[in-house]
Amino acid sequence: MELVKNAGIWIVASHFNGQFTDVTYELIGKASELGKAHNETVTAVVIGSDLKAEALYHYGADQVIYAADPIFADFDSNSYAIELEKMMREYKPLAVVFGADDFGRDIAPRLATKLETGLSADCIDLEIKEENGKKLLIQKKPYLNGGIIVDIVCDKRNPQLATVRPGMLMCPTPDEKQSGEVIKWQCSPKAAELLTRIEAVMQKNNLSKDIQKSEIIIAGGRGFKKKEDFEKLYVLADLLGGVVGATRPLVTEGWIDESFQIGQSGKVVSPKLYIGLGISGAAQHCCGVKNTQLFIAVNSDANAPIFQYADYGYVGDCKSFLDELISCLK
């Protein structure tokens, strides 16, 4: 099978622990919809090792290209970006889209710099518009705390790059009747030479979990003044079988990994139970909590905006509330 040159929508598949992420399927579904409407081929690009790349055909990919090599068994943003640059320069796709997860947020800016093209990050939707014989990827983003949606275009350079936030698009139902040949990509020796091994340090119970798939989230904000007080959230999360999240300031302080930041510049979550402790309720954070079945808020300020979102609210010290709740559950 020959890859189409100077055309097509490419989706770079993200994966974790040998499994493709949901946002990969969401993006392939959206690209398939756009491809059919504008006569563009959808190509899913996979870089890694021991992945079932053929499964991406089930979600609507027209082609799957797989850079499979043991050197890519461990994620390395530099070597992955080198390989993608080689692909893009050879085949020059119309647009390349990543999920706005840790995978995409790390690689997409590197690739945009290498290719000297534009990148719109954290989009919520995509469209294609044909103008003067040229197809433009319309990259939709919220602005002014989500008050308006703006359209961004990169009309001077190709490929047009974007990352899309997980959970913003519909995930297609897989159809196992859809299949095809996986195109093998010859990996670059340069990528292997620059491969960097990174030893991950597991943080409490969190880094092995995906906050966007958790049904129970315990989130903390600036109401916690000491890191040791904030870390009691992990005790509560263990008791309830949940995951700890946080607002941006605590991520900036280094109290928790950025992959557990909730909000406009973090992750969008939809748990069954959300407990927000010491969180004021700024729109930038609360826009990241969607379709929660039960929202509980704790804040010492009775006028805190978070109470407008909550099903139940407690006015009081978040640290004392947390200690009491842990004691009751134990």
Side-chain angles (χ1 to χ4, degrees), residues 203-204 221 223-234 250-251 253-257 319 322:
Q203 177 179 347
K204 301 296 182 180
F224 290 95
K225 306 303 181 185
K226 298 180 180 178
K227 185 178 181 181
E228 53 266 33
D229 292 334
F230 170 77
E231 290 187 339
K232 291 182 180 178
L233 294 180
Y234 293 102
L250 301 195
V251 173
E253 288 290 332
W255 290 8
I256 188 171
D257 188 83
K319 177 179 175 295
L322 180 57

Side-chain angles (χ1 to χ4, degrees), residues 133-286:
K134 184 175 182 179
K135 295 178 182 178
L136 299 176
L137 182 70
I138 309 301
Q139 302 144 53
K140 295 183 173 291
K141 289 192 61 170
Y143 185 60
L144 295 177
N145 295 330
I148 60 174
I149 305 299
V150 297
D151 291 347
I152 299 175
V153 296
C154 177
D155 59 353
K156 304 298 183 185
R157 303 296 298 268
N158 275 355
Q160 302 163 58
L161 266 59
T163 67
V164 178
R165 301 185 70 172
M168 293 291 101
L169 306 172
M170 291 291 293
C171 186
T173 302
D175 181 359
E176 295 189 3
K177 294 180 180 179
Q178 296 184 148
S179 61
E181 173 192 352
V182 175
I183 304 167
K184 300 297 183 181
W185 177 263
Q186 183 63 45
C187 297
S188 167
K190 185 178 179 182
E193 291 170 4
L194 295 183
L195 185 65
T196 303
R197 298 290 177 182
I198 300 176
E199 181 179 348
V201 178
M202 301 304 289
Q203 177 179 347
K204 301 296 182 180
N205 69 343
N206 261 35
L207 285 185
S208 61
K209 298 182 179 180
D210 184 347
I211 194 171
Q212 291 183 297
K213 293 184 178 179
S214 179
E215 295 186 344
I216 298 174
I217 295 176
I218 317 299
R222 282 191 284 192
F224 290 95
K225 306 303 181 185
K226 298 180 180 178
K227 185 178 181 181
E228 53 266 33
D229 292 334
F230 170 77
E231 290 187 339
K232 291 182 180 178
L233 294 180
Y234 293 102
V235 178
L236 180 58
D238 285 341
L239 290 170
L240 294 176
V243 174
V244 174
T247 57
R248 184 173 183 174
L250 301 195
V251 173
T252 303
E253 288 290 332
W255 290 8
I256 188 171
D257 188 83
E258 64 180 355
S259 58
F260 297 94
Q261 178 183 325
I262 299 167
Q264 187 172 5
S265 56
K267 299 289 181 65
V268 177
V269 298
S270 300
K272 290 183 178 179
L273 171 62
Y274 182 88
I275 303 178
L277 297 155
I279 297 173
S280 64
Q284 291 92 333
H285 173 76
C286 289

